[in-house]
Amino acid sequence: FGFKDEFLQSNAMTASRINSRNSSVFWESERNMDFVHAFLEREKTVKSVQNPELDKWIDLFRKDKKEAALSYWYEIHKGAQESLREF
């Protein structure tokens, strides 16, 4: 109600504080890797997303699921760190 900027700033600050503990860890089970792989495949087949980056990740997961999952997790982790760096 007229405080959109303040609300977004508060959310960003809260996310930064949560992330500052740097307690993220790689997925514990192989089932989590399967979820991510299935999500990527669904984006391609069901939602018909045409993106070379998506194709790259799908191919990597098909070749070596564990290595692809670790690389994917690291990219997500790195992106979160970069997006919260300003705080």
Side-chain angles (χ1 to χ4, degrees):
F1 302 110
F3 293 101
K4 178 182 177 182
D5 292 336
E6 292 85 352
F7 174 72
L8 294 175
Q9 179 69 21
S10 177
N11 283 348
M13 184 66 71
T14 301
S16 178
R17 287 182 179 153
I18 291 169
N19 191 60
S20 70
R21 295 178 187 251
N22 197 16
S23 61
S24 58
V25 295
F26 182 59
W27 303 313
E28 292 182 9
S29 75
E30 191 170 336
R31 187 69 175 136
N32 290 334
M33 298 174 205
D34 293 336
F35 285 133
V36 172
H37 186 198
F39 164 76
L40 296 172
E41 292 278 0
R42 180 172 165 55
E43 289 294 298
K44 180 79 175 171
T45 58
V46 176
K47 293 187 177 181
S48 301
V49 174
Q50 300 298 317
N51 184 308
E53 188 75 9
L54 175 61
D55 295 337
K56 178 192 96 166
W57 284 112
I58 291 171
D59 288 341
L60 289 172
F61 268 90
R62 288 177 181 165
K63 290 177 186 171
D64 185 347
K65 178 175 53 174
K66 291 181 181 179
E67 183 63 32
L70 181 59
S71 296
Y72 188 86
W73 176 87
Y74 179 72
E75 288 298 318
I76 297 297
H77 178 74
K78 188 171 71 171
Q81 296 296 326
E82 289 172 358
S83 70
L84 297 171
R85 190 173 292 161
E86 66 186 55
F87 297 100

Coordinates of all heavy atoms in Angstrom, one line a residue:
F1 N 0.8 -1.2 0.0 CA 0.0 0.0 0.0 C 0.9 1.3 0.0 O 1.0 2.0 1.0 CB -1.0 0.0 1.2 CG -1.8 -1.2 1.2 CD1 -1.7 -2.2 2.2 CD2 -2.8 -1.4 0.3 CE1 -2.5 -3.3 2.2 CE2 -3.7 -2.5 0.3 CZ -3.5 -3.5 1.3
G2 N 1.6 1.5 -1.1 CA 2.4 2.6 -1.2 C 3.8 2.5 -0.7 O 4.5 3.5 -0.7
F3 N 4.2 1.3 -0.3 CA 5.5 1.1 0.3 C 6.3 0.0 -0.4 O 7.0 -0.8 0.2 CB 5.4 0.7 1.8 CG 4.9 1.8 2.7 CD1 3.6 1.9 3.1 CD2 5.8 2.9 3.0 CE1 3.1 2.9 3.9 CE2 5.3 3.9 3.8 CZ 4.0 3.9 4.2
K4 N 6.0 -0.1 -1.7 CA 6.6 -1.2 -2.5 C 8.2 -1.1 -2.4 O 8.8 -2.2 -2.2 CB 6.2 -1.0 -4.0 CG 6.9 -2.1 -4.9 CD 6.4 -1.9 -6.3 CE 7.2 -2.9 -7.2 NZ 6.8 -2.8 -8.6
D5 N 8.8 0.0 -2.6 CA 10.3 0.1 -2.6 C 10.8 -0.3 -1.2 O 11.8 -1.0 -1.1 CB 10.7 1.5 -2.9 CG 10.5 1.9 -4.4 OD1 10.3 0.9 -5.2 OD2 10.4 3.1 -4.7
E6 N 10.1 0.2 -0.1 CA 10.6 -0.2 1.2 C 10.4 -1.7 1.5 O 11.3 -2.3 2.1 CB 9.8 0.6 2.3 CG 10.1 2.1 2.3 CD 9.3 2.9 1.3 OE1 8.6 2.3 0.4 OE2 9.4 4.1 1.3
F7 N 9.3 -2.2 1.0 CA 9.1 -3.7 1.1 C 10.2 -4.5 0.4 O 10.7 -5.4 1.0 CB 7.7 -4.0 0.6 CG 7.4 -5.5 0.5 CD1 7.1 -6.2 1.7 CD2 7.3 -6.2 -0.7 CE1 6.9 -7.5 1.7 CE2 7.1 -7.5 -0.7 CZ 6.8 -8.2 0.5
L8 N 10.5 -4.1 -0.8 CA 11.5 -4.8 -1.6 C 12.9 -4.7 -0.9 O 13.6 -5.7 -0.9 CB 11.5 -4.4 -3.0 CG 10.3 -4.7 -3.9 CD1 10.3 -4.0 -5.2 CD2 10.0 -6.2 -4.0
Q9 N 13.2 -3.5 -0.4 CA 14.4 -3.3 0.2 C 14.5 -4.2 1.5 O 15.6 -4.8 1.8 CB 14.6 -1.8 0.6 CG 15.9 -1.5 1.3 CD 17.1 -1.6 0.5 OE1 17.0 -1.6 -0.7 NE2 18.2 -1.8 1.1
S10 N 13.4 -4.2 2.2 CA 13.4 -5.1 3.4 C 13.6 -6.5 3.1 O 14.3 -7.3 3.8 CB 12.1 -4.9 4.2 OG 12.0 -5.7 5.3
N11 N 13.0 -7.0 2.0 CA 13.1 -8.4 1.6 C 14.6 -8.7 1.2 O 15.1 -9.7 1.6 CB 12.2 -8.7 0.4 CG 10.8 -8.9 0.8 OD1 10.5 -9.0 2.0 ND2 9.9 -8.9 -0.2
A12 N 15.2 -7.8 0.5 CA 16.6 -8.0 0.1 C 17.5 -8.0 1.3 O 18.4 -8.8 1.3 CB 17.0 -6.8 -0.9
M13 N 17.3 -7.1 2.2 CA 18.1 -7.1 3.4 C 17.9 -8.4 4.2 O 18.9 -9.0 4.7 CB 17.7 -5.9 4.3 CG 18.6 -5.8 5.5 SD 20.3 -5.4 5.2 CE 20.2 -3.7 4.6
T14 N 16.7 -8.9 4.4 CA 16.5 -10.1 5.1 C 17.1 -11.3 4.4 O 17.8 -12.1 5.0 CB 15.0 -10.4 5.2 OG1 14.4 -9.3 5.9 CG2 14.7 -11.7 5.9
A15 N 17.0 -11.4 3.1 CA 17.7 -12.4 2.3 C 19.2 -12.4 2.5 O 19.9 -13.4 2.6 CB 17.3 -12.3 0.8
S16 N 19.7 -11.2 2.5 CA 21.2 -11.0 2.7 C 21.6 -11.5 4.0 O 22.7 -12.1 4.2 CB 21.6 -9.5 2.5 OG 22.9 -9.3 2.7
R17 N 20.9 -11.2 5.0 CA 21.2 -11.6 6.4 C 21.1 -13.1 6.5 O 22.0 -13.7 7.2 CB 20.3 -10.9 7.4 CG 20.6 -9.5 7.6 CD 19.7 -8.8 8.6 NE 20.1 -7.4 8.8 CZ 19.3 -6.5 9.2 NH1 18.0 -6.8 9.5 NH2 19.7 -5.3 9.3
I18 N 20.1 -13.7 6.0 CA 20.0 -15.2 6.0 C 21.2 -15.8 5.3 O 21.8 -16.8 5.8 CB 18.6 -15.6 5.4 CG1 17.5 -15.2 6.3 CG2 18.6 -17.1 5.1 CD1 16.1 -15.4 5.6
N19 N 21.5 -15.3 4.1 CA 22.6 -15.8 3.3 C 23.9 -15.6 3.9 O 24.9 -16.4 3.7 CB 22.5 -15.3 1.9 CG 23.4 -16.0 1.0 OD1 23.3 -17.2 0.7 ND2 24.4 -15.3 0.4
S20 N 24.1 -14.6 4.7 CA 25.4 -14.2 5.3 C 26.0 -15.4 6.2 O 27.2 -15.4 6.4 CB 25.3 -12.9 6.1 OG 24.6 -13.1 7.3
R21 N 25.1 -16.2 6.7 CA 25.6 -17.4 7.5 C 26.3 -18.4 6.6 O 27.0 -19.3 7.1 CB 24.5 -18.0 8.2 CG 23.9 -17.1 9.3 CD 22.8 -17.8 10.0 NE 22.1 -16.8 10.9 CZ 22.2 -16.9 12.2 NH1 22.9 -17.8 12.8 NH2 21.5 -16.0 12.9
N22 N 26.1 -18.3 5.3 CA 26.7 -19.1 4.3 C 26.6 -20.6 4.7 O 27.6 -21.3 4.6 CB 28.2 -18.7 4.0 CG 28.7 -19.3 2.8 OD1 28.0 -19.8 1.9 ND2 30.0 -19.3 2.6
S23 N 25.4 -21.0 5.0 CA 25.2 -22.4 5.5 C 24.7 -23.3 4.4 O 24.3 -24.4 4.7 CB 24.3 -22.4 6.7 OG 23.0 -21.9 6.3
S24 N 24.7 -22.8 3.1 CA 24.2 -23.7 2.1 C 25.1 -24.9 1.8 O 26.3 -24.7 1.9 CB 24.0 -22.9 0.8 OG 25.2 -22.3 0.4
V25 N 24.5 -26.0 1.6 CA 25.3 -27.2 1.3 C 24.7 -27.9 0.0 O 23.5 -27.7 -0.3 CB 25.3 -28.2 2.4 CG1 26.0 -27.6 3.6 CG2 23.9 -28.6 2.8
F26 N 25.6 -28.6 -0.6 CA 25.1 -29.4 -1.8 C 24.0 -30.4 -1.4 O 24.0 -30.9 -0.3 CB 26.3 -30.1 -2.4 CG 26.0 -30.9 -3.7 CD1 25.5 -30.2 -4.8 CD2 26.2 -32.2 -3.7 CE1 25.1 -30.9 -5.9 CE2 25.9 -32.9 -4.9 CZ 25.4 -32.3 -6.0
W27 N 23.2 -30.7 -2.3 CA 22.0 -31.5 -2.1 C 22.4 -32.9 -1.5 O 23.4 -33.5 -1.9 CB 21.2 -31.8 -3.4 CG 20.8 -30.5 -4.0 CD1 20.2 -29.4 -3.4 CD2 21.0 -30.1 -5.4 NE1 20.0 -28.4 -4.3 CE2 20.4 -28.8 -5.5 CE3 21.5 -30.7 -6.5 CZ2 20.4 -28.2 -6.7 CZ3 21.5 -30.1 -7.7 CH2 20.9 -28.8 -7.8
E28 N 21.7 -33.3 -0.5 CA 22.0 -34.5 0.2 C 21.7 -35.8 -0.5 O 22.4 -36.8 -0.3 CB 21.3 -34.5 1.6 CG 21.8 -33.5 2.5 CD 21.1 -33.5 3.9 OE1 20.4 -34.5 4.1 OE2 21.4 -32.6 4.6
S29 N 20.7 -35.8 -1.3 CA 20.3 -37.1 -1.9 C 20.3 -37.0 -3.4 O 20.2 -36.0 -4.0 CB 18.9 -37.5 -1.4 OG 17.9 -36.8 -2.1
E30 N 20.5 -38.2 -4.0 CA 20.4 -38.3 -5.5 C 19.0 -37.9 -6.0 O 18.9 -37.4 -7.1 CB 20.8 -39.7 -5.9 CG 21.0 -39.8 -7.4 CD 21.7 -41.1 -7.8 OE1 22.3 -41.8 -7.0 OE2 21.5 -41.5 -9.0
R31 N 18.0 -38.1 -5.2 CA 16.6 -37.8 -5.6 C 16.5 -36.3 -5.8 O 15.8 -35.9 -6.7 CB 15.7 -38.2 -4.4 CG 14.2 -38.1 -4.8 CD 13.9 -39.1 -5.9 NE 12.5 -39.0 -6.2 CZ 12.0 -39.0 -7.4 NH1 12.7 -39.1 -8.4 NH2 10.7 -38.9 -7.6
N32 N 17.2 -35.4 -5.1 CA 17.2 -34.0 -5.4 C 17.7 -33.7 -6.8 O 17.2 -32.8 -7.5 CB 18.0 -33.3 -4.3 CG 17.3 -33.3 -3.0 OD1 16.1 -33.4 -2.9 ND2 18.1 -33.2 -1.9
M33 N 18.8 -34.4 -7.1 CA 19.4 -34.3 -8.5 C 18.3 -34.6 -9.5 O 18.2 -34.0 -10.6 CB 20.6 -35.1 -8.6 CG 21.7 -34.8 -7.7 SD 23.1 -36.0 -7.9 CE 23.8 -35.8 -6.3
D34 N 17.6 -35.7 -9.2 CA 16.5 -36.1 -10.2 C 15.4 -35.1 -10.3 O 14.9 -34.9 -11.4 CB 15.9 -37.4 -9.7 CG 16.8 -38.6 -9.7 OD1 17.8 -38.6 -10.5 OD2 16.6 -39.6 -9.0
F35 N 15.1 -34.4 -9.2 CA 14.1 -33.3 -9.3 C 14.5 -32.2 -10.2 O 13.7 -31.7 -11.0 CB 13.8 -32.8 -7.9 CG 12.9 -33.6 -7.0 CD1 13.3 -33.9 -5.7 CD2 11.8 -34.2 -7.4 CE1 12.6 -34.7 -4.9 CE2 11.0 -35.0 -6.6 CZ 11.4 -35.3 -5.3
V36 N 15.8 -31.8 -10.0 CA 16.3 -30.7 -10.9 C 16.3 -31.1 -12.3 O 15.9 -30.4 -13.2 CB 17.7 -30.3 -10.4 CG1 18.3 -29.3 -11.4 CG2 17.6 -29.7 -9.0
H37 N 16.8 -32.3 -12.6 CA 16.9 -32.8 -13.9 C 15.4 -32.9 -14.5 O 15.2 -32.5 -15.7 CB 17.5 -34.2 -14.0 CG 17.7 -34.7 -15.3 ND1 18.0 -36.1 -15.6 CD2 17.7 -34.2 -16.6 CE1 18.1 -36.3 -16.9 NE2 17.9 -35.1 -17.5
A38 N 14.5 -33.4 -13.8 CA 13.1 -33.5 -14.3 C 12.5 -32.1 -14.5 O 11.8 -31.9 -15.5 CB 12.2 -34.2 -13.3
F39 N 12.9 -31.1 -13.7 CA 12.4 -29.8 -13.9 C 13.0 -29.2 -15.2 O 12.2 -28.6 -16.0 CB 12.9 -28.9 -12.7 CG 12.8 -27.4 -13.0 CD1 11.6 -26.7 -13.0 CD2 13.9 -26.7 -13.3 CE1 11.5 -25.4 -13.3 CE2 13.8 -25.3 -13.6 CZ 12.6 -24.7 -13.6
L40 N 14.2 -29.4 -15.4 CA 14.9 -28.9 -16.7 C 14.2 -29.6 -17.9 O 13.9 -28.9 -18.9 CB 16.4 -29.2 -16.7 CG 17.1 -28.4 -15.6 CD1 18.6 -28.9 -15.5 CD2 17.1 -26.9 -15.8
E41 N 14.0 -30.9 -17.8 CA 13.4 -31.6 -18.9 C 11.9 -31.1 -19.2 O 11.5 -30.9 -20.3 CB 13.3 -33.1 -18.6 CG 14.7 -33.8 -18.6 CD 15.2 -34.1 -20.0 OE1 14.5 -33.9 -21.0 OE2 16.3 -34.7 -20.1
R42 N 11.2 -30.8 -18.1 CA 9.9 -30.3 -18.2 C 9.8 -29.0 -18.9 O 8.9 -28.7 -19.7 CB 9.2 -30.3 -16.8 CG 7.8 -29.8 -16.8 CD 7.2 -30.0 -15.4 NE 6.0 -29.3 -15.1 CZ 4.8 -29.3 -15.8 NH1 4.7 -30.0 -16.8 NH2 3.8 -28.7 -15.4
E43 N 10.8 -28.1 -18.5 CA 10.8 -26.8 -19.1 C 10.9 -26.9 -20.6 O 10.3 -26.2 -21.4 CB 12.0 -26.0 -18.6 CG 11.8 -25.5 -17.2 CD 10.7 -24.5 -17.0 OE1 10.8 -23.4 -17.6 OE2 9.8 -24.8 -16.3
K44 N 11.7 -27.9 -21.1 CA 11.9 -28.1 -22.5 C 10.7 -28.7 -23.2 O 10.3 -28.3 -24.2 CB 13.2 -29.0 -22.7 CG 13.6 -29.3 -24.1 CD 14.2 -28.1 -24.7 CE 14.7 -28.5 -26.1 NZ 15.2 -27.3 -26.8
T45 N 10.2 -29.8 -22.6 CA 9.2 -30.6 -23.3 C 7.8 -30.1 -23.1 O 7.0 -30.0 -24.0 CB 9.3 -32.1 -22.8 OG1 9.1 -32.2 -21.4 CG2 10.6 -32.7 -23.2
V46 N 7.4 -29.7 -21.9 CA 6.1 -29.3 -21.6 C 5.9 -27.8 -21.9 O 4.9 -27.4 -22.5 CB 5.7 -29.6 -20.1 CG1 4.3 -29.1 -19.8 CG2 5.8 -31.1 -19.9
K47 N 6.8 -27.0 -21.4 CA 6.6 -25.5 -21.6 C 7.3 -25.1 -22.9 O 7.2 -23.9 -23.2 CB 7.3 -24.8 -20.4 CG 6.5 -25.0 -19.1 CD 7.1 -24.1 -18.0 CE 6.3 -24.3 -16.7 NZ 6.8 -23.4 -15.7
S48 N 7.9 -25.9 -23.6 CA 8.5 -25.6 -24.9 C 9.5 -24.5 -24.9 O 9.5 -23.6 -25.8 CB 7.4 -25.4 -26.0 OG 6.6 -26.5 -26.1
V49 N 10.3 -24.4 -23.8 CA 11.3 -23.3 -23.7 C 12.4 -23.6 -24.6 O 13.0 -24.7 -24.7 CB 11.8 -23.2 -22.2 CG1 13.0 -22.2 -22.1 CG2 10.7 -22.9 -21.3
Q50 N 12.7 -22.6 -25.5 CA 13.8 -22.8 -26.4 C 15.0 -21.9 -25.9 O 14.9 -20.7 -26.1 CB 13.4 -22.3 -27.8 CG 12.2 -23.1 -28.4 CD 12.6 -24.6 -28.6 OE1 13.7 -24.9 -29.0 NE2 11.7 -25.5 -28.2
N51 N 16.0 -22.5 -25.4 CA 17.1 -21.8 -24.8 C 18.3 -22.6 -24.9 O 18.3 -23.8 -24.3 CB 16.8 -21.4 -23.3 CG 17.8 -20.5 -22.7 OD1 19.0 -20.9 -22.7 ND2 17.4 -19.4 -22.1
P52 N 19.4 -22.1 -25.5 CA 20.6 -23.0 -25.6 C 21.2 -23.3 -24.2 O 21.8 -24.4 -24.1 CB 21.6 -22.1 -26.4 CG 20.9 -20.9 -26.8 CD 19.5 -20.9 -26.2
E53 N 21.1 -22.5 -23.2 CA 21.6 -22.7 -21.9 C 20.8 -23.9 -21.3 O 21.4 -24.8 -20.6 CB 21.5 -21.5 -21.0 CG 22.1 -21.6 -19.7 CD 23.7 -21.5 -19.7 OE1 24.2 -21.2 -20.8 OE2 24.3 -21.8 -18.7
L54 N 19.5 -23.9 -21.5 CA 18.7 -25.0 -21.0 C 19.1 -26.3 -21.7 O 19.3 -27.4 -21.0 CB 17.2 -24.8 -21.3 CG 16.2 -25.9 -20.9 CD1 16.3 -26.2 -19.4 CD2 14.8 -25.5 -21.3
D55 N 19.3 -26.3 -23.0 CA 19.8 -27.5 -23.7 C 21.1 -28.0 -23.2 O 21.3 -29.2 -23.0 CB 19.9 -27.2 -25.2 CG 18.5 -26.9 -25.8 OD1 17.5 -27.3 -25.3 OD2 18.5 -26.2 -26.9
K56 N 22.0 -27.1 -22.8 CA 23.3 -27.4 -22.3 C 23.2 -28.2 -21.0 O 23.8 -29.2 -20.8 CB 24.2 -26.2 -22.1 CG 25.5 -26.5 -21.5 CD 26.2 -25.2 -21.0 CE 25.9 -25.1 -19.5 NZ 26.7 -24.2 -18.8
W57 N 22.3 -27.7 -20.1 CA 22.2 -28.3 -18.8 C 21.5 -29.7 -18.9 O 21.9 -30.6 -18.3 CB 21.4 -27.4 -17.8 CG 22.2 -26.3 -17.3 CD1 22.1 -25.0 -17.5 CD2 23.3 -26.5 -16.4 NE1 23.0 -24.3 -16.9 CE2 23.8 -25.2 -16.1 CE3 24.0 -27.5 -15.8 CZ2 24.9 -24.9 -15.3 CZ3 25.0 -27.3 -15.0 CH2 25.5 -26.0 -14.7
I58 N 20.5 -29.8 -19.8 CA 19.9 -31.1 -20.0 C 20.9 -32.1 -20.5 O 20.9 -33.2 -20.0 CB 18.7 -30.9 -21.0 CG1 17.5 -30.2 -20.3 CG2 18.2 -32.3 -21.5 CD1 16.4 -29.8 -21.2
D59 N 21.7 -31.7 -21.5 CA 22.7 -32.6 -22.0 C 23.7 -33.0 -20.9 O 24.1 -34.2 -20.8 CB 23.5 -32.0 -23.2 CG 22.7 -31.9 -24.4 OD1 21.6 -32.6 -24.5 OD2 23.0 -31.1 -25.3
L60 N 24.1 -32.1 -20.1 CA 25.1 -32.4 -19.0 C 24.4 -33.4 -18.0 O 25.1 -34.3 -17.6 CB 25.5 -31.1 -18.3 CG 26.4 -30.2 -19.0 CD1 26.6 -28.9 -18.3 CD2 27.8 -30.9 -19.3
F61 N 23.2 -33.2 -17.7 CA 22.5 -34.1 -16.7 C 22.4 -35.5 -17.4 O 22.5 -36.5 -16.7 CB 21.1 -33.6 -16.3 CG 21.2 -32.8 -15.1 CD1 21.4 -31.4 -15.1 CD2 21.0 -33.3 -13.8 CE1 21.4 -30.6 -14.0 CE2 21.0 -32.6 -12.7 CZ 21.2 -31.2 -12.7
R62 N 22.1 -35.6 -18.6 CA 22.0 -36.9 -19.3 C 23.3 -37.6 -19.3 O 23.4 -38.8 -19.2 CB 21.5 -36.7 -20.7 CG 20.0 -36.3 -20.8 CD 19.5 -36.1 -22.2 NE 18.1 -35.7 -22.2 CZ 17.5 -35.2 -23.3 NH1 18.2 -35.0 -24.4 NH2 16.3 -34.9 -23.2
K63 N 24.4 -36.9 -19.5 CA 25.8 -37.5 -19.5 C 26.3 -38.0 -18.2 O 26.8 -39.1 -18.0 CB 26.8 -36.6 -20.2 CG 26.5 -36.3 -21.6 CD 27.5 -35.3 -22.2 CE 27.1 -35.0 -23.7 NZ 27.9 -33.8 -24.2
D64 N 26.2 -37.1 -17.2 CA 26.7 -37.4 -15.9 C 25.9 -36.6 -14.8 O 26.2 -35.4 -14.6 CB 28.2 -37.0 -15.8 CG 28.8 -37.4 -14.5 OD1 28.1 -37.7 -13.5 OD2 30.1 -37.3 -14.4
K65 N 24.9 -37.2 -14.3 CA 23.9 -36.5 -13.4 C 24.6 -35.9 -12.2 O 24.3 -34.7 -11.9 CB 22.8 -37.5 -13.0 CG 21.8 -36.9 -12.0 CD 20.7 -37.8 -11.7 CE 21.2 -39.2 -11.2 NZ 20.0 -40.0 -10.8
K66 N 25.5 -36.6 -11.6 CA 26.1 -36.1 -10.3 C 27.0 -34.9 -10.6 O 27.0 -33.9 -9.9 CB 26.9 -37.2 -9.6 CG 25.9 -38.3 -9.0 CD 26.7 -39.4 -8.3 CE 25.6 -40.4 -7.8 NZ 26.3 -41.5 -7.1
E67 N 27.8 -35.0 -11.6 CA 28.7 -33.8 -12.0 C 27.9 -32.6 -12.4 O 28.2 -31.5 -12.0 CB 29.7 -34.3 -13.1 CG 30.7 -33.2 -13.4 CD 31.6 -32.8 -12.3 OE1 31.9 -33.6 -11.4 OE2 32.0 -31.6 -12.2
A68 N 26.8 -32.9 -13.2 CA 26.0 -31.8 -13.7 C 25.3 -31.1 -12.5 O 25.1 -29.9 -12.4 CB 25.0 -32.3 -14.7
A69 N 24.8 -32.0 -11.6 CA 24.1 -31.4 -10.4 C 25.0 -30.5 -9.6 O 24.6 -29.5 -9.1 CB 23.5 -32.6 -9.6
L70 N 26.2 -31.0 -9.4 CA 27.1 -30.2 -8.6 C 27.4 -28.8 -9.3 O 27.4 -27.8 -8.7 CB 28.4 -30.9 -8.3 CG 29.5 -30.2 -7.5 CD1 29.0 -29.8 -6.1 CD2 30.7 -31.0 -7.4
S71 N 27.6 -28.9 -10.6 CA 27.9 -27.7 -11.3 C 26.7 -26.7 -11.3 O 26.8 -25.5 -11.2 CB 28.3 -28.0 -12.8 OG 29.5 -28.7 -12.8
Y72 N 25.5 -27.3 -11.5 CA 24.3 -26.5 -11.5 C 24.1 -25.9 -10.1 O 23.8 -24.7 -10.0 CB 23.1 -27.4 -11.8 CG 21.8 -26.7 -12.0 CD1 21.5 -26.2 -13.3 CD2 20.9 -26.5 -11.0 CE1 20.3 -25.5 -13.5 CE2 19.7 -25.9 -11.2 CZ 19.4 -25.4 -12.4 OH 18.2 -24.7 -12.6
W73 N 24.3 -26.7 -9.0 CA 24.1 -26.1 -7.7 C 25.1 -25.0 -7.5 O 24.7 -24.0 -6.9 CB 24.4 -27.2 -6.7 CG 24.3 -26.7 -5.2 CD1 23.2 -26.6 -4.5 CD2 25.4 -26.3 -4.5 NE1 23.6 -26.1 -3.2 CE2 24.9 -25.9 -3.2 CE3 26.8 -26.1 -4.7 CZ2 25.7 -25.3 -2.2 CZ3 27.6 -25.6 -3.7 CH2 27.1 -25.2 -2.5
Y74 N 26.3 -25.2 -7.9 CA 27.4 -24.1 -7.7 C 27.0 -22.8 -8.5 O 27.1 -21.7 -7.9 CB 28.7 -24.6 -8.2 CG 29.8 -23.5 -8.0 CD1 30.2 -23.2 -6.8 CD2 30.3 -22.9 -9.1 CE1 31.2 -22.2 -6.6 CE2 31.2 -21.9 -9.0 CZ 31.7 -21.5 -7.7 OH 32.6 -20.5 -7.6
E75 N 26.4 -23.0 -9.7 CA 26.0 -21.8 -10.4 C 24.9 -21.1 -9.7 O 24.8 -19.8 -9.7 CB 25.6 -22.2 -11.8 CG 26.7 -22.6 -12.7 CD 27.7 -21.4 -13.0 OE1 27.3 -20.3 -13.2 OE2 28.9 -21.7 -12.9
I76 N 23.9 -21.8 -9.2 CA 22.8 -21.2 -8.4 C 23.4 -20.5 -7.2 O 23.0 -19.4 -6.8 CB 21.8 -22.3 -8.0 CG1 21.1 -22.9 -9.3 CG2 20.7 -21.7 -7.1 CD1 20.4 -21.9 -10.1
H77 N 24.3 -21.2 -6.5 CA 24.9 -20.6 -5.2 C 25.6 -19.3 -5.6 O 25.5 -18.3 -4.9 CB 25.8 -21.7 -4.6 CG 26.5 -21.2 -3.4 ND1 25.9 -21.1 -2.2 CD2 27.8 -20.9 -3.2 CE1 26.8 -20.6 -1.3 NE2 28.0 -20.5 -1.9
K78 N 26.4 -19.4 -6.6 CA 27.2 -18.2 -7.1 C 26.3 -17.1 -7.4 O 26.5 -15.9 -7.1 CB 28.1 -18.6 -8.2 CG 29.1 -17.5 -8.7 CD 30.1 -18.1 -9.7 CE 29.4 -18.3 -11.0 NZ 30.3 -18.6 -12.1
G79 N 25.2 -17.3 -8.1 CA 24.2 -16.3 -8.5 C 23.6 -15.6 -7.3 O 23.4 -14.4 -7.2
A80 N 23.3 -16.5 -6.3 CA 22.7 -15.9 -5.0 C 23.7 -15.0 -4.4 O 23.4 -13.9 -3.9 CB 22.3 -17.0 -4.1
Q81 N 25.0 -15.4 -4.3 CA 26.0 -14.6 -3.7 C 26.2 -13.3 -4.4 O 26.3 -12.2 -3.8 CB 27.3 -15.4 -3.7 CG 27.3 -16.6 -2.9 CD 27.1 -16.4 -1.4 OE1 27.5 -15.4 -0.8 NE2 26.4 -17.3 -0.7
E82 N 26.2 -13.3 -5.7 CA 26.4 -12.1 -6.5 C 25.2 -11.2 -6.4 O 25.4 -10.0 -6.3 CB 26.6 -12.5 -8.0 CG 27.9 -13.1 -8.2 CD 28.1 -13.7 -9.6 OE1 27.1 -13.6 -10.5 OE2 29.1 -14.2 -10.0
S83 N 24.0 -11.7 -6.4 CA 22.8 -10.8 -6.3 C 22.7 -10.2 -4.9 O 22.1 -9.1 -4.8 CB 21.5 -11.6 -6.6 OG 21.2 -12.5 -5.5
L84 N 23.3 -10.8 -3.9 CA 23.2 -10.2 -2.5 C 24.4 -9.4 -2.1 O 24.5 -9.0 -1.0 CB 22.9 -11.3 -1.5 CG 21.6 -12.0 -1.7 CD1 21.5 -13.3 -0.8 CD2 20.4 -11.1 -1.5
R85 N 25.4 -9.3 -3.0 CA 26.7 -8.7 -2.7 C 26.6 -7.2 -2.3 O 27.4 -6.8 -1.5 CB 27.6 -8.8 -3.9 CG 29.0 -8.4 -3.7 CD 29.9 -8.7 -4.8 NE 30.0 -10.1 -5.0 CZ 30.4 -10.7 -6.1 NH1 30.7 -10.0 -7.1 NH2 30.4 -12.0 -6.2
E86 N 25.6 -6.5 -2.8 CA 25.5 -5.1 -2.5 C 25.2 -4.8 -1.0 O 25.3 -3.6 -0.6 CB 24.4 -4.4 -3.4 CG 23.0 -4.9 -3.1 CD 22.0 -4.4 -4.1 OE1 22.2 -4.6 -5.3 OE2 21.0 -3.7 -3.7
F87 N 24.8 -5.8 -0.3 CA 24.5 -5.5 1.2 C 25.7 -5.9 1.9 O 26.1 -6.2 2.8 CB 23.3 -6.3 1.6 CG 22.1 -5.9 0.9 CD1 21.6 -6.6 -0.2 CD2 21.4 -4.7 1.2 CE1 20.5 -6.2 -0.8 CE2 20.3 -4.3 0.6 CZ 19.8 -5.1 -0.5

